[in-house]
Amino acid sequence: MSFLELQNITKIYPNGTKAVNETSLNIENGEFVVFVGPSGCGKSTLLRMIAGLEDITNGEISLDGNVINNIDPSERDVAMVFQNYALYPHMSVFNNMAYGLKNRGISKEEINNKVNDVAKLLEIDQLLTRKPSMLSGGQRQRVAMGRAIVRNPKIFLFDEPLSNLDAKLRNQMRLEIKRLQRQMGVTSIFVTHDQTEAMTLGDRIVVINNGVVEQVGTPKEIYSKPNTKFVAEFIGSPQMNLFNCKIENGIAHIADIKINLNNSKNIEDASLGIRPDDILISDNGQHTCEANLVEYLGSDMIIYSKIGDQEFSCKLSSKINLNAGDTFKFDISSTLVHLFDNTNGSRV
Amino acid sequence: MSFLELQNITKIYPNGTKAVNETSLNIENGEFVVFVGPSGCGKSTLLRMIAGLEDITNGEISLDGNVINNIDPSERDVAMVFQNYALYPHMSVFNNMAYGLKNRGISKEEINNKVNDVAKLLEIDQLLTRKPSMLSGGQRQRVAMGRAIVRNPKIFLFDEPLSNLDAKLRNQMRLEIKRLQRQMGVTSIFVTHDQTEAMTLGDRIVVINNGVVEQVGTPKEIYSKPNTKFVAEFIGSPQMNLFNCKIENGIAHIADIKINLNNSKNIEDASLGIRPDDILISDNGQHTCEANLVEYLGSDMIIYSKIGDQEFSCKLSSKINLNAGDTFKFDISSTLVHLFDNTNGSRV
Amino acid sequence: MKFKPLEILTHIILILGVLLMVLPIWFSFATSTHDNVSIMTEGMKFFLGESFSQNYNEVLNEKGGWSEEVTATRMFVNSFIMALGIATLKVVISAMSAYALVYFRFKLAVPIFWLIFITLLVPLEVRIFPSYKIVSDLGLTNTYTGLILPLVASATATFFFRQFYKTIPDELLESAKLDGANSWRFFIDFLLPLSKTMLAAMFIFMFVYGYSQYLWPLIMTTDEKYWTVVMGMKIIFTENYEGVALPRTGERFAYIILSMLPPVLVVVILQRWFIKGLIQTEK
Amino acid sequence: MKFKPLEILTHIILILGVLLMVLPIWFSFATSTHDNVSIMTEGMKFFLGESFSQNYNEVLNEKGGWSEEVTATRMFVNSFIMALGIATLKVVISAMSAYALVYFRFKLAVPIFWLIFITLLVPLEVRIFPSYKIVSDLGLTNTYTGLILPLVASATATFFFRQFYKTIPDELLESAKLDGANSWRFFIDFLLPLSKTMLAAMFIFMFVYGYSQYLWPLIMTTDEKYWTVVMGMKIIFTENYEGVALPRTGERFAYIILSMLPPVLVVVILQRWFIKGLIQTEK
């Protein structure tokens, strides 16, 4: 039996919206799982049902062997880091961290020790007497983490905790969260809309769309073998190019370009996907296109172009000299291609 | 004479903080300039002084040949897109866009035409009767853009307009803003803390830190030849590795590793910078380290390691099989290295 | 977001509270439809009687007062004019003062806010004689202006408008400025529409405040033509004791019920604005 | 954020307003320090006189009323107890009702809110006779309980607490729940400390409201021991006309000045809370 089990979880709001639909999932003890999906896909609702902040319409959640459907959030022994941190504005950092412990009737001395230990771990021990309004974004983030850690809960829940930080700080905190989780070994669920966070943080990733789990797997599995068209587009940056095409006799026709696919059945309405960095640009490529726009990213650059009326992008080293308006030659290798059936979006 | 000229602009707040210090800058007609820097560096203050929303303590701003220091913001003919969009919550999308035109006494018919044209351009013509509260984040963003465009101002000011959008949408809107600016040719200033946005959007980038301009240049110039240690660390993702070292007889000593630099003078306290993707990993590299943490990013991965007690990261293709705990061999080429003097942070 | 175990208890307490508030009004109305004899002999009524039109007709049209010239209808009209004037001017003046205090950053804004706030401590009752002196020197006794003017400043309303304006993000003002709005237009085009709910709520509060004034109109008016409902209430409850006839209890209750109508009217008219505003700010 | 051209004009208007508000109080105070003869002959005073201690001593210690037993000091104490009781209970009850309305999502929350809101339309003046009946049936005439109890419910305060609670982000409640806080703890540990400013402001408003009550204590109290300041004001302004001596104008003004002190005291005590709260919510 897994540490956390979700069985056919469904959430229907009073207004009839189905936020989560028949979701089942097992999470092992000590695992770091990331729920990723576009905004409004139900990933936060799922997390909030685990925390007990939303009622469960149907299905069963069990944690550490006990069904927790009807257990009050205060007794589930889970800790959550909110997107806006939800620090208690009228309490000092110390009291923010100590509040949950006080409510559990832990002795003053023990609270002092625990809070100080965690504060040291997170390097916020200088801030214990300050109010949240006197902290910077990164410091608030740490306090929110500290409040969760100090309780030593069965499970950590993160609800997009990095999205209010600026880019540099986000990368830094991402690393720190990963290290802390490794170090403490507490089962964690992290919700995000950012595929980079999902890929770098998760032991396993759960890709969610419209309340349905599209794919569960390690970052490598999901990146290299996306099960559906949605996952293919969502995971990876810049996003995978998807060409609408017709496949006849093992050959994909995209506008006037033909790509030879080995052993493929005929599909009337297919999508041929290829990642921007899998398009091979060389002077003796078979196909020719014009670069409409070039985005310079430092070591890499992204070229936007068109085949017929379908836009696509290629990522290549910025050492290559190519400007908007230039033409370039490229190849598409059949081994690097992902093929999806447009009728149901699933991988062929 | 340039289209927009800033001469020795200084901003000191009543409480004594110097937000902007003696900044001079020329921006040509039709240029797309990005102000980039960490939060609180003064980049927004500078933008707001151009808009007329902050008083100028010292210095002179001239737009299109006229000094505008004391001209009311409503008469400067600039349009601004705010971070939170600042849409008028009680007005429909149409009225949001038309409000500025009405105040300029333009005829109803002309307002109708202009608003409809811009709405079509931005694909929000279906939303004209809605209130802002009924729009999604991306749609709000478009309305805010539309409100600025419809006035056909001399200059566009963008104050971190993408930071409230999720990752996918941000990339998409970034492209769209770039295309629109190219198409309309209106001088634009874009403020952001995100170096990726700065690199991809700007014709020129102004890197600001602590109220002082650290470097002005094209994205390529700034990336390949950062003037200061701050710029080197700030621009580029993952950020440049900077090793504290001592340079004697043209050799840099980092812990027990020696790197041969050609023709370099002796520096007691130097920083040797190298970008994570410029570290050459190969089986016959001179130096050996252990990978402490591996971040998987899809096509690439980032390895975190240490030389002595100094952390560094390398970016390499995820096709290479390397896991946390493995050792790897690498070379640092003296041609890819950036050298800074720690006493003043400037490039050597 | 429910605290389930408490829910049933809460319901019971709340329903009791509702009954406690609604029953007296119903009793008053039911009693007002009976004739005086049955009220005299049987006490307050729970069911409706048959003297509705007689009692209400008498209250509205019978002339009373010392000069036997003023009708209750006249008093209702007076109270309505007074309450309307007070409420309208209080709301307008407070909204504008709050605007000045929040958006015009002159050095004295904070001390001035405190001075306005301090006037809360000097309600009309305390300054009634100086106020009377000024109004009578201006020749405004026995006029609507005299009834309304000394009551139009409101520190309470200014305070709440100020707090509300402070929640409006700065960017809205900045964006409006770049769109060419001057300070007057910003007030008209932005602050007023955004504070609809607040305006409606304040208007209701202030209308009731004005409507229930007693001491001021008592002192201000010697001419019975300017008597108000609340003054009339004292009169109908005292003058009849002097007569030899039965106490006219039915008419008294009819008068009370009628006296509630103008405020109810105001709420009914303003509720659309008000509910809309409440729903929009709903979490 | 300045609208410069208007600034000078605004200043002038505001300074005039300040004078208009402060001068009457200063005049009253200055006059209260003169003896009756000079006031009689010379009118209101701008400068201080020499009868300060005499006038104030007389007001505080002279026994008055029909029974010649009640002193002004006694009346101040009565008013203070009444105002304190009303304000404290009003604030506590309103804060708790608003809490129930915002955080307990039962189906009737909206209709109940409206019912509470409607009671605004039935101020004490309108329901004064039924209220009197109930209180006297309970044997509470001539008690502090009787003075205070019928005035402790406040729709206004409930409304503002409700609006304030609605601005508190949901995540705070959720986070508190995960930290093991039950609904009672959330109220004590979060809502009360967060609404400090609101509590202080409401307390001040309600204190002044209670302090300036006239009609209710007039009806409720037959025993002069329970007379209040505002009732006393009527008395000192009427009883002296009947005497043959000079009108005791100096003492009257002394009485007015003294009557302002309790509310001022409340503000001085609460201002620290209040200013702190205002500064924290400052833009």
Side-chain angles (χ1 to χ4, degrees):
Chain A
M1 194 166 184
S2 300
F3 188 66
L4 179 72
E5 289 193 2
L6 309 188
Q7 273 172 32
N8 300 318
I9 297 297
T10 298
K11 172 77 191 181
I12 301 171
Y13 281 108
N15 64 12
T17 344
K18 216 174 216 175
V20 176
N21 193 3
E22 298 271 333
T23 296
S24 296
L25 201 64
N26 291 334
I27 294 174
E28 303 304 328
N29 199 352
E31 226 184 341
F32 198 146
V33 172
V34 178
F35 294 174
V36 68
S39 42
C41 73
K43 57 190 189 301
S44 280
T45 310
L46 200 55
L47 191 80
R48 290 165 56 81
M49 285 196 282
I50 296 170
L53 300 172
E54 299 273 0
D55 291 336
I56 299 160
T57 313
N58 254 314
E60 207 176 83
I61 298 183
S62 61
L63 176 64
D64 205 6
N66 306 311
V67 176
I68 56 169
N69 278 34
N70 294 313
I71 290 180
D72 202 69
S74 58
E75 279 148 24
R76 291 192 183 191
D77 202 9
V78 301
M80 186 153 165
V81 179
F82 292 84
Q83 182 170 8
N84 64 4
Y85 317 142
L87 297 182
Y88 309 142
H90 57 301
M91 294 185 191
S92 67
V93 168
F94 181 91
N95 284 327
N96 261 283
M97 290 169 70
Y99 187 72
L101 300 175
K102 278 182 196 158
N103 281 335
R104 273 165 181 73
I106 293 169
S107 76
K108 264 204 170 164
E109 203 184 346
E110 207 183 329
I111 293 179
N112 262 327
N113 290 337
K114 283 194 174 187
V115 171
N116 283 323
D117 287 353
V118 173
K120 256 178 216 138
L121 180 71
L122 290 167
E123 292 165 20
I124 48 173
D125 42 337
Q126 302 303 316
L127 310 173
L128 286 176
T129 56
R130 297 216 194 147
K131 290 276 175 70
S133 56
M134 296 162 69
L135 304 178
S136 69
Q139 291 171 335
R140 283 178 205 193
Q141 167 69 57
R142 276 164 204 269
V143 175
M145 293 276 298
R147 194 170 63 182
I149 292 173
V150 80
R151 287 215 349 246
N152 194 22
K154 280 189 187 150
I155 191 161
F156 275 146
L157 306 174
F158 297 90
D159 192 2
E160 313 214 14
L162 303 179
S163 56
N164 285 347
L165 300 177
D166 70 17
K168 289 275 149 185
L169 209 50
R170 204 178 312 163
N171 291 342
Q172 197 183 318
M173 285 306 298
R174 196 175 74 201
L175 268 177
E176 202 160 325
I177 288 177
K178 186 159 189 178
R179 279 193 183 135
L180 273 171
Q181 200 271 343
R182 285 278 150 84
Q183 189 179 332
M184 316 208 344
V186 176
T187 316
S188 303
I189 302 177
F190 190 103
V191 161
T192 179
H193 63 261
D194 184 337
Q195 61 91 27
T196 313
E197 279 174 23
M199 297 277 278
T200 52
L201 281 173
D203 295 328
R204 278 197 300 157
I205 296 179
V206 179
V207 185
I208 301 176
N209 187 30
N210 281 330
V212 176
V213 172
E214 296 258 338
Q215 189 167 1
V216 182
T218 65
K220 232 168 210 162
E221 280 166 18
I222 287 185
Y223 184 82
S224 56
K225 217 178 164 195
N227 268 348
T228 65
K229 214 171 131 181
F230 173 80
V231 176
E233 265 192 300
F234 194 81
I235 300 290
S237 174
Q239 70 184 52
M240 187 190 280
N241 298 302
L242 285 167
F243 298 101
N244 288 318
C245 62
K246 194 175 170 178
I247 297 173
E248 278 177 331
N249 307 323
I251 293 172
H253 299 261
I254 308 166
D256 52 347
I257 288 183
K258 291 187 185 72
I259 294 160
N260 202 335
L261 308 170
N262 306 326
N263 308 324
S264 181
K265 58 175 182 177
N266 290 355
I267 309 174
E268 193 54 41
D269 184 11
S271 279
L272 181 139
I274 180 151
R275 299 209 177 267
D277 33 350
D278 287 341
I279 295 180
L280 310 164
I281 296 195
S282 67
D283 289 343
N284 40 20
Q286 282 186 48
H287 316 297
T288 307
C289 271
E290 191 191 322
N292 297 326
L293 194 71
V294 176
E295 272 194 341
Y296 178 76
L297 289 171
S299 60
D300 306 314
M301 61 186 186
I302 298 171
I303 295 168
Y304 295 87
S305 179
K306 274 185 179 180
I307 297 179
D309 56 354
Q310 299 192 56
E311 284 213 328
F312 72 101
S313 61
C314 325
K315 186 172 162 192
L316 62 164
S317 163
S318 59
K319 279 156 199 151
I320 294 169
N321 192 14
L322 189 68
N323 297 308
D326 295 352
T327 55
F328 61 99
K329 293 187 164 196
F330 62 96
D331 280 313
I332 292 176
S333 150
S334 65
T335 54
L336 297 173
V337 144
H338 309 260
L339 213 54
F340 303 94
D341 189 334
N342 275 352
T343 51
N344 55 13
S346 66
R347 188 180 187 90
V348 180
Chain B
M1 194 165 186
S2 301
F3 188 66
L4 178 73
E5 289 194 2
L6 309 187
Q7 273 172 31
N8 300 317
I9 297 298
T10 298
K11 171 77 190 181
I12 302 172
Y13 281 109
N15 64 12
T17 345
K18 215 174 218 176
V20 176
N21 193 4
E22 297 273 331
T23 297
S24 296
L25 200 66
N26 291 335
I27 293 174
E28 303 304 327
N29 199 354
E31 226 183 340
F32 198 146
V33 172
V34 178
F35 293 174
V36 69
S39 42
C41 73
K43 56 192 191 299
S44 281
T45 310
L46 200 56
L47 191 81
R48 291 165 57 81
M49 285 195 282
I50 296 169
L53 299 173
E54 300 272 1
D55 291 337
I56 300 161
T57 314
N58 254 315
E60 207 176 82
I61 298 183
S62 62
L63 176 64
D64 205 6
N66 305 311
V67 176
I68 56 170
N69 278 34
N70 294 312
I71 290 178
D72 202 68
S74 59
E75 279 149 25
R76 290 192 184 191
D77 203 7
V78 302
M80 186 153 166
V81 179
F82 292 84
Q83 179 169 10
N84 63 3
Y85 317 142
L87 298 181
Y88 309 143
H90 56 301
M91 295 186 190
S92 67
V93 168
F94 181 91
N95 283 327
N96 261 283
M97 290 168 71
Y99 187 72
L101 300 175
K102 277 181 196 160
N103 280 336
R104 274 165 181 73
I106 293 167
S107 77
K108 264 204 171 166
E109 202 184 347
E110 207 182 328
I111 292 179
N112 263 327
N113 291 338
K114 284 194 173 187
V115 172
N116 283 323
D117 287 353
V118 173
K120 254 178 218 141
L121 180 70
L122 290 168
E123 293 165 17
I124 49 173
D125 43 337
Q126 302 303 316
L127 311 173
L128 286 176
T129 56
R130 296 217 195 146
K131 289 275 175 71
S133 56
M134 295 163 68
L135 303 177
S136 70
Q139 289 169 335
R140 282 177 205 193
Q141 166 70 55
R142 276 162 206 271
V143 174
M145 292 275 299
R147 193 170 64 179
I149 293 172
V150 78
R151 286 213 352 243
N152 194 20
K154 281 189 186 148
I155 191 161
F156 275 147
L157 306 174
F158 297 90
D159 192 2
E160 313 215 13
L162 303 178
S163 56
N164 285 347
L165 300 177
D166 70 17
K168 289 275 149 187
L169 208 52
R170 204 178 313 164
N171 291 342
Q172 197 182 319
M173 285 307 297
R174 196 175 73 201
L175 269 178
E176 201 160 323
I177 288 177
K178 186 160 189 175
R179 280 195 181 131
L180 273 171
Q181 199 271 345
R182 284 277 150 82
Q183 188 179 333
M184 317 210 342
V186 176
T187 317
S188 301
I189 302 177
F190 190 102
V191 162
T192 180
H193 63 260
D194 185 338
Q195 61 90 29
T196 314
E197 279 175 19
M199 297 278 278
T200 51
L201 282 172
D203 295 328
R204 277 198 301 157
I205 296 179
V206 179
V207 185
I208 300 177
N209 187 30
N210 281 329
V212 175
V213 172
E214 297 258 338
Q215 190 169 0
V216 182
T218 64
K220 234 169 211 164
E221 281 166 14
I222 286 183
Y223 184 82
S224 57
K225 219 181 162 192
N227 269 348
T228 65
K229 212 171 133 182
F230 173 81
V231 176
E233 264 192 300
F234 194 81
I235 300 290
S237 173
Q239 70 183 53
M240 187 189 282
N241 298 302
L242 284 168
F243 298 101
N244 287 319
C245 62
K246 193 174 173 179
I247 298 173
E248 280 177 330
N249 307 322
I251 293 173
H253 299 263
I254 309 167
D256 52 346
I257 288 182
K258 292 187 183 73
I259 295 160
N260 203 335
L261 308 169
N262 306 326
N263 309 322
S264 179
K265 58 174 180 178
N266 290 356
I267 308 173
E268 193 54 39
D269 185 12
S271 281
L272 181 137
I274 181 151
R275 298 211 177 265
D277 34 350
D278 287 342
I279 294 179
L280 310 163
I281 295 194
S282 67
D283 289 342
N284 40 19
Q286 281 186 50
H287 317 298
T288 309
C289 272
E290 189 191 322
N292 298 325
L293 195 72
V294 176
E295 274 195 339
Y296 178 75
L297 289 170
S299 62
D300 305 316
M301 60 186 187
I302 298 170
I303 295 168
Y304 295 87
S305 179
K306 274 185 178 180
I307 297 180
D309 57 353
Q310 299 192 55
E311 285 213 327
F312 72 102
S313 61
C314 323
K315 186 172 162 192
L316 63 164
S317 163
S318 59
K319 278 155 201 153
I320 294 170
N321 192 12
L322 190 67
N323 295 311
D326 295 353
T327 56
F328 60 98
K329 293 189 165 196
F330 62 94
D331 280 313
I332 293 176
S333 150
S334 65
T335 53
L336 297 172
V337 144
H338 308 261
L339 212 55
F340 302 95
D341 188 334
N342 275 354
T343 51
N344 56 12
S346 67
R347 188 181 186 89
V348 181
Chain C
M1 220 179 349
K2 280 179 178 175
F3 299 111
K4 281 177 183 173
L6 275 169
E7 206 174 316
I8 295 163
L9 182 66
T10 326
H11 262 80
I12 293 170
I13 293 174
L14 286 164
I15 288 167
L16 282 178
V18 171
L19 290 179
L20 215 71
M21 289 191 301
V22 173
L23 278 184
I25 296 176
W26 174 254
F27 267 114
S28 305
F29 179 67
T31 309
S32 77
T33 60
H34 285 268
D35 59 77
N36 294 325
V37 181
S38 55
I39 300 171
M40 188 69 181
T41 52
E42 298 159 27
M44 298 279 281
K45 304 287 187 174
F46 186 76
F47 299 103
L48 295 177
E50 283 163 3
S51 307
F52 176 82
S53 62
Q54 193 208 326
N55 284 350
Y56 281 82
N57 191 34
E58 257 175 50
V59 167
L60 286 174
N61 299 318
E62 195 179 319
K63 297 192 174 187
W66 293 305
S67 60
E68 301 281 331
E69 256 178 13
V70 62
T71 63
T73 315
R74 178 81 206 200
M75 291 195 279
F76 286 128
V77 170
N78 286 343
S79 280
F80 195 79
I81 291 175
M82 180 181 169
L84 198 70
I86 290 175
T88 312
L89 288 173
K90 258 187 197 291
V91 168
V92 170
I93 291 173
S94 308
M96 293 180 76
S97 325
Y99 179 46
L101 286 171
V102 175
Y103 287 98
F104 292 72
R105 296 280 167 91
F106 44 88
K107 276 170 236 126
L108 289 175
V110 173
I112 285 172
F113 171 70
W114 278 102
L115 268 169
I116 292 179
F117 191 79
I118 291 276
T119 62
L120 265 180
L121 310 177
V122 195
L124 184 68
E125 282 76 10
V126 173
R127 59 185 162 86
I128 204 154
F129 288 96
S131 302
Y132 177 76
K133 179 87 167 73
I134 293 171
V135 171
S136 84
D137 284 356
L138 293 171
L140 294 174
T141 45
N142 289 320
T143 62
Y144 289 123
T145 317
L147 275 173
I148 292 168
L149 211 59
L151 296 169
V152 295
S154 171
T156 322
T158 309
F159 173 78
F160 284 111
F161 277 114
R162 175 176 179 271
Q163 295 303 89
F164 177 75
Y165 291 162
K166 280 188 168 294
T167 65
I168 294 176
D170 279 349
E171 284 87 352
L172 212 62
L173 171 62
E174 294 175 347
S175 185
K177 271 191 192 173
L178 293 176
D179 262 352
N182 59 25
S183 50
W184 178 245
R185 288 237 70 80
F186 183 68
F187 183 64
I188 299 292
D189 291 344
F190 290 82
L191 290 185
L192 288 189
L194 286 171
S195 58
K196 261 190 210 169
T197 322
M198 199 63 164
L199 288 168
M202 281 296 159
F203 189 88
I204 292 173
F205 297 148
M206 295 311 170
F207 187 90
V208 173
Y209 167 84
Y211 192 75
S212 63
Q213 281 301 311
Y214 172 68
L215 209 53
W216 180 244
L218 188 67
I219 289 178
M220 265 295 301
T221 56
T222 49
D223 187 337
E224 289 176 5
K225 274 191 291 185
Y226 290 97
W227 278 10
T228 63
V229 171
V230 183
M231 291 163 72
M233 204 165 291
K234 196 190 169 189
I235 293 157
I236 65 158
F237 275 91
T238 49
E239 68 174 349
N240 285 304
Y241 284 122
E242 296 155 11
V244 286
L246 273 177
R248 297 164 67 185
T249 321
E251 281 93 336
R252 285 185 197 165
F253 279 107
Y255 186 88
I256 286 177
I257 293 294
L258 283 172
S259 71
M260 290 182 194
L261 290 184
V264 170
L265 207 70
V266 168
V267 169
V268 169
I269 293 169
L270 290 183
Q271 71 173 344
R272 275 209 327 165
W273 258 26
F274 194 67
I275 293 180
K276 216 171 140 194
L278 281 182
I279 290 168
Q280 279 173 353
T281 63
E282 209 72 45
K283 277 208 258 210
Chain D
M1 219 177 352
K2 282 177 176 176
F3 298 112
K4 282 179 184 169
L6 275 170
E7 206 174 315
I8 295 161
L9 182 64
T10 327
H11 263 80
I12 292 169
I13 293 173
L14 285 164
I15 287 167
L16 283 178
V18 170
L19 290 179
L20 217 71
M21 288 191 302
V22 172
L23 278 184
I25 295 175
W26 175 253
F27 267 113
S28 305
F29 180 67
T31 310
S32 77
T33 60
H34 286 267
D35 59 81
N36 293 325
V37 180
S38 56
I39 300 171
M40 189 70 181
T41 51
E42 297 159 27
M44 299 277 281
K45 304 287 185 170
F46 186 77
F47 298 103
L48 295 177
E50 284 163 0
S51 308
F52 175 82
S53 60
Q54 193 207 328
N55 285 349
Y56 281 81
N57 190 35
E58 257 173 51
V59 167
L60 285 175
N61 298 318
E62 196 178 320
K63 296 189 177 192
W66 294 306
S67 61
E68 301 281 332
E69 255 178 15
V70 62
T71 62
T73 314
R74 177 84 208 197
M75 291 195 278
F76 285 128
V77 171
N78 286 344
S79 280
F80 195 80
I81 291 174
M82 180 181 171
L84 198 69
I86 290 176
T88 311
L89 289 173
K90 257 186 196 292
V91 168
V92 170
I93 292 172
S94 308
M96 294 180 77
S97 326
Y99 178 47
L101 286 170
V102 174
Y103 287 98
F104 293 73
R105 295 282 165 89
F106 44 89
K107 275 170 238 127
L108 289 175
V110 173
I112 284 172
F113 171 70
W114 278 102
L115 266 170
I116 291 180
F117 191 77
I118 291 275
T119 62
L120 265 182
L121 310 177
V122 195
L124 184 68
E125 283 76 11
V126 173
R127 59 184 163 89
I128 203 152
F129 290 97
S131 302
Y132 176 78
K133 179 90 168 71
I134 292 170
V135 170
S136 84
D137 283 358
L138 293 171
L140 294 174
T141 45
N142 289 320
T143 63
Y144 289 122
T145 318
L147 275 172
I148 292 169
L149 211 60
L151 295 168
V152 296
S154 171
T156 323
T158 309
F159 173 77
F160 283 111
F161 276 114
R162 176 176 179 270
Q163 296 304 86
F164 177 76
Y165 292 162
K166 280 184 168 296
T167 65
I168 293 176
D170 279 349
E171 284 87 353
L172 214 61
L173 171 62
E174 293 175 347
S175 185
K177 272 190 192 173
L178 293 177
D179 261 352
N182 59 23
S183 51
W184 177 246
R185 287 237 69 82
F186 183 67
F187 184 64
I188 299 290
D189 292 345
F190 290 83
L191 290 185
L192 288 189
L194 286 171
S195 58
K196 262 189 209 169
T197 322
M198 199 64 164
L199 288 168
M202 281 297 160
F203 188 88
I204 293 172
F205 297 148
M206 294 312 169
F207 187 89
V208 173
Y209 167 84
Y211 193 74
S212 62
Q213 281 301 313
Y214 172 69
L215 211 53
W216 179 246
L218 188 67
I219 290 177
M220 265 297 300
T221 57
T222 49
D223 187 336
E224 288 176 5
K225 275 191 288 186
Y226 291 95
W227 276 9
T228 62
V229 172
V230 182
M231 290 162 73
M233 205 165 291
K234 198 189 166 190
I235 293 157
I236 65 157
F237 276 89
T238 49
E239 68 174 347
N240 285 305
Y241 284 122
E242 295 155 14
V244 287
L246 274 176
R248 296 165 66 186
T249 321
E251 282 92 338
R252 286 185 197 164
F253 278 107
Y255 186 87
I256 286 177
I257 292 294
L258 283 172
S259 71
M260 289 181 195
L261 290 184
V264 169
L265 207 70
V266 168
V267 170
V268 169
I269 292 169
L270 290 183
Q271 72 174 343
R272 273 210 328 167
W273 260 25
F274 193 68
I275 292 180
K276 218 170 140 193
L278 281 181
I279 290 168
Q280 279 173 353
T281 62
E282 208 71 47
K283 276 208 260 211

